[in-house]
Each structure stands twice: as structure tokens, then as C-alpha cells.
Amino acid sequence: MTDAHTKQTSGALLAGRLDFDWWASNGPTAGYLVSLVLESVGRLPGLDTVTPRSVDLRVVRLAAADDFDVTAAFAQAAGGVATVMVTLAQREPFAAASVQLGRRLAEESIAPSHRLGAFPPEVHAEMEMRRPGLPPVTGQFTYRPATKPDGTSPQPGWDLVWISPRSGQYSGHGHTAKILDCWYPASYTRAVREHLGRAQPPSELSQPAATNLLGAHVEFPSPDEAYADLSNALLASRLKSSADGYQFEQQEIWSDRGDLLVDAQIVRRKERPQVARSAERRP
């Protein structure tokens, strides 16, 4: 990797069709979009010695389950750090991201300042997620909510659920990122907890307002080897605040070995469901 220059790639790094099986509500999940970004960046020449450290994703408009392409420009800077600017488009951009990648500079690692403890996944019952009407993304994983016998969270303020990919083991930053945002938004689960706390019957629980994903800041704070052979992951989420119709959520992904794999901040906006502007469809 050379120092201090910027290069625009010619043509698309990645092209295909957005997979509706990764939809949550009215758009693709943050994790799916980040995984596409990382897959695209992985195709750039000269970046094989650096590892993704963070991704900033911004959603410009709702995407359609239709053809898309990814283009990129990357700036290589001194100190072994590369910044890549990525655009995801369906004729027009629907999302943009910046990715920072860096070399390993030291062997030692500092453990996270906190750990979200939970009993192992086999202790908890698997939820039935094959019912009609559920978000398509829930078909990608099995879910075991990590609750105490009384139904409360072992970590006050957090919703914890063990996630296992139905396709088998995940490996790498891109696969791990797919777990992000694959569960209900923290505002939904918070509404359920508050409803049950008032001892009201489930039949009186109203549907929370729909939300649109606006963006996510995603960090990968563990050494490279922690992202290999991931069969079970603990997804933790909490609603940090809500103001003026915007929701600010934190999500963490922990391995079953106790590694903090992803620390993410997600922004959503309360919105009535919209119809995405589809790219021109081909037969």
C-alpha cells in the first residue's frame, strides 16, 4: 500500500440484485448493506494487508429488491491506514459508506471495558420464526432470546438474543456484519417490555411506529482471528434515546468465546412505510 493518493475505480466492483431475504420492514438491514460494502472493498487491489476497522454507512433513499452496483474511490494514507469511499446505486445512489482499513500494529489486545454476560445458547429455547408476516431477514437465522426465567433481561436496559446462521458457520468481518440489525429494533422490544410491565394483555399491545434506517457507524474492535468460525453470536441492543422522531440505538455482537466483534450505533427515523423507487426491471 503506497502513501497519499486517491484513485477512482473504473466500473462496478460488485453488481447483482439486492436479496429481499435480507429485508427488515421496508428496506435492507444495516448489516446486509455493510456486508456488501466490505465485499466490494475486498475486491480492490493493494488492500490485502489491511483489515476493516470501521464503516460509516449513510442511507440516501429506500432501496428496492432489484439490480444494483457498487463503485468506490479510495484514498491511501500514511501509517498503514486506507480510507475507501463506496457508493451503492440503483441507477441513482441509495447509500454511501466510508471504510477505514488498517494493518495490525501490535500483538497485544485490551479486553472490552464491559462484558454482556448471558447463559450459553443451548440453555435458551429457540423461537419459532417461520411464521407468515415476519421480516424476511428472520429466515436467515435462528433466535434464542437470552432472558431470565421471569422473562427479564440479565442486563438491564439491553435486549439479548443468541443468533445462529442457518447457512452454517460465519467467518470474516463481512459475514459477521450480517448479524447486525437482524433482530427487531430496540424500540419494538422496549414497547413490549413496557406493555408487559403494566400487566396488560398481549392483545392490547399496539404496533410501534414503523422506522426507516438512516445510517450506522460500525466498529470491529477485536483481532482478526476472533472473526473466524462463528457459529453462535450474542446480539445485544438498547435504545439510547429518541428525539423528534429519530431513534438512536446501540448494537453489539459478541462471540460465544467472549469477543466483542462489533460495536455499532444505528440511527432510525419514524416513518410511514414508503414504496421504494425501483430501478428499471429486466425480464
Side-chain angles (χ1 to χ4, degrees):
M1 192 173 72
T2 58
D3 284 348
H5 73 273
T6 301
K7 179 180 179 181
Q8 177 73 41
T9 61
S10 59
L13 289 172
L14 183 67
R17 193 175 187 89
L18 290 181
D19 189 348
F20 187 69
D21 288 341
W22 289 96
W23 246 241
S25 184
N26 52 6
T29 67
Y32 177 53
L33 294 179
V34 169
S35 73
L36 293 177
V37 167
L38 293 180
E39 181 180 352
S40 302
V41 170
R43 299 185 178 195
L44 285 170
L47 298 181
D48 53 333
T49 62
V50 290
T51 298
R53 304 298 174 180
S54 67
V55 178
D56 277 296
L57 172 72
R58 297 293 176 262
V59 176
V60 179
R61 61 180 176 87
L62 291 180
D66 209 334
D67 295 343
F68 78 101
D69 59 62
V70 182
T71 56
F74 63 98
Q76 298 180 355
V81 176
T83 300
V84 182
M85 312 301 294
V86 177
T87 301
L88 298 88
Q90 292 180 316
R91 298 173 62 186
E92 299 176 7
F94 66 86
S98 62
V99 185
Q100 283 199 315
L101 307 98
R103 295 192 185 104
R104 171 174 282 188
L105 301 179
E107 293 299 325
E108 71 274 9
S109 298
I110 299 176
S113 58
H114 72 289
R115 290 187 182 275
L116 294 180
F119 286 115
E122 57 269 17
V123 173
H124 304 284
E126 180 181 333
M127 287 188 68
E128 174 53 54
M129 301 299 292
R130 300 279 190 173
R131 303 188 306 274
L134 293 178
V137 68
T138 58
Q140 300 287 339
F141 303 95
T142 62
Y143 299 84
R144 297 175 182 268
T147 57
K148 296 192 294 187
D150 62 359
T152 60
S153 173
Q155 300 289 333
W158 290 84
D159 294 300
L160 308 181
V161 57
W162 283 104
I163 307 288
S164 299
R166 293 186 184 274
S167 59
Q169 284 186 338
Y170 274 0
S171 189
H173 295 72
H175 276 158
T176 302
K178 287 185 175 181
I179 298 171
L180 187 68
D181 200 24
C182 74
W183 186 235
Y184 293 100
S187 58
Y188 278 46
T189 52
R190 180 172 179 172
V192 172
R193 286 200 313 269
E194 291 177 348
H195 180 86
L196 297 177
R198 294 191 293 267
Q200 295 175 321
S203 60
E204 296 182 8
L205 177 62
S206 59
Q207 180 79 5
T211 60
N212 284 346
L213 175 69
L214 292 184
H217 173 73
V218 182
E219 299 173 355
F220 300 96
S222 283
D224 288 355
E225 55 269 20
Y227 298 88
D229 303 327
L230 188 66
S231 298
N232 298 292
L234 184 66
L235 176 62
S237 60
R238 69 183 181 103
L239 183 65
K240 297 195 302 182
S241 65
S242 178
D244 301 330
Y246 296 85
Q247 297 175 354
F248 302 88
E249 181 178 337
Q250 181 179 6
Q251 291 191 12
E252 296 179 349
I253 301 174
W254 294 78
S255 74
D256 53 7
R257 301 178 291 269
D259 300 304
L260 177 58
L261 302 175
V262 171
D263 188 2
Q265 314 298 319
I266 294 178
V267 182
R268 309 182 197 275
R269 181 177 63 181
K270 291 184 180 179
E271 195 95 35
R272 292 181 178 180
Q274 299 179 10
V275 177
R277 290 187 295 165
S278 172
E280 183 178 355
R281 295 181 179 273
R282 298 183 177 91

